[in-house]
Amino acid sequence: MPLVDTHCHLQSPRFDDDREAVIARCLEQLDWLVVIGDDIPSSEGAVALIRDRVYATVGMHPYYAEGVDDACLDRLRELAATPGVIGLGEIGLDYFNEYAPRDVQAVAFRRQLDLAIELDLPVVIHNRDSDEDAYAILAEYADRLPGCVMHCFGSDATYAERFLALGFYVSFAGNATFSKAQQLRDAAAVVPLDRLLVETDAPYLAPVPLRGKRCEPWHVVHTAAVIAEVKGVSAEELGKVTTDNARRFYRVA
Ligand code: NI
């Protein structure tokens, strides 16, 4: 069935021993996948993996907000010019691990949203324990952004509805399959089929029944199955619709 992993980190050192084998395995089961950057080295690593059916994004995660200066933005611009770079991210706010002060995170976030508009790239948003501030910033930008996805959605149905009202996509990862994650499944229930994406965030958050293992992009099949159940559609239909959505969001032909 059609299926895409819209968010993984295959450049992670956790794949250093068998990365090519993992990619081969994934491309047998998935239509395509997107390798997401977190900082400059990992964005370079993502770009280095671009090939047929493997795309990349570049960006600075809020953990590294203090590194977002002019030179960093110039490097992101250069990397973004590589064919196969289809988005900017992951960018956003993280108040759970507040590795950079909140005001610094906000500035880094805004500068990268400006860059996404300049480069005409959709954005991949990381938002952890920062709903209200992320919403306020994104609401300012929503009309101008070429596309926006709330990645690894971790908030509740009310916030899902607020982000949807801004025209955004909402993406669910393996944590939506965890038994205690009813809040995430309730959030998925309010997301219309045409705004849903699925992802792994590999190597993190392997879905049930693989929880605790190193996550690989093909594991998205398990997340898709759970979300399909929530939405009351077949796994095949969920795969098809989320693949269409991913194609539209990332503008992949
Ligand atoms: Ni990620």
Side-chain angles (χ1 to χ4, degrees), residues 7 9 90 151 201:
H7 188 121
H9 301 277
E90 52 190 286
H151 125 79
D201 211 12

Side-chain angles (χ1 to χ4, degrees), residues 34-50:
V34 189
V35 184
I36 305 287
D38 278 325
D39 61 3
I40 295 298
S42 78
S43 295
E44 290 169 346
V47 167
L49 292 176
I50 290 171

Side-chain angles (χ1 to χ4, degrees), residues 26-108:
C26 293
L27 290 180
E28 272 173 29
Q29 300 194 51
L30 302 176
D31 287 38
W32 45 280
L33 56 88
V34 189
V35 184
I36 305 287
D38 278 325
D39 61 3
I40 295 298
S42 78
S43 295
E44 290 169 346
V47 167
L49 292 176
I50 290 171
R51 64 190 71 180
D52 185 33
R53 299 197 287 137
V54 176
Y55 300 92
T57 71
V58 299
M60 296 286 284
H61 192 284
Y63 289 176
Y64 311 111
E66 284 169 311
V68 178
D69 56 15
D70 289 348
C72 168
L73 294 171
D74 280 344
R75 184 65 184 134
L76 291 177
R77 259 185 208 98
E78 281 171 11
L79 288 168
T82 314
V85 173
I86 56 174
L88 199 94
E90 52 190 286
I91 63 175
L93 301 175
D94 192 313
Y95 296 171
F96 179 79
N97 294 309
E98 206 174 314
Y99 292 153
R102 293 183 181 194
D103 56 331
V104 175
Q105 292 190 38
V107 171

Side-chain angles (χ1 to χ4, degrees), residues 116-145:
I117 293 163
E118 173 196 322
L119 299 176
D120 190 30
L121 288 172
V123 291
V124 179
I125 304 300
H126 173 102
N127 164 40
R128 191 161 185 204
D129 288 0
S130 45
D131 289 328
E132 205 46 52
D133 289 355
Y135 178 83
I137 291 174
L138 285 165
E140 274 178 49
Y141 281 86
D143 290 348
R144 289 173 291 147
L145 286 171

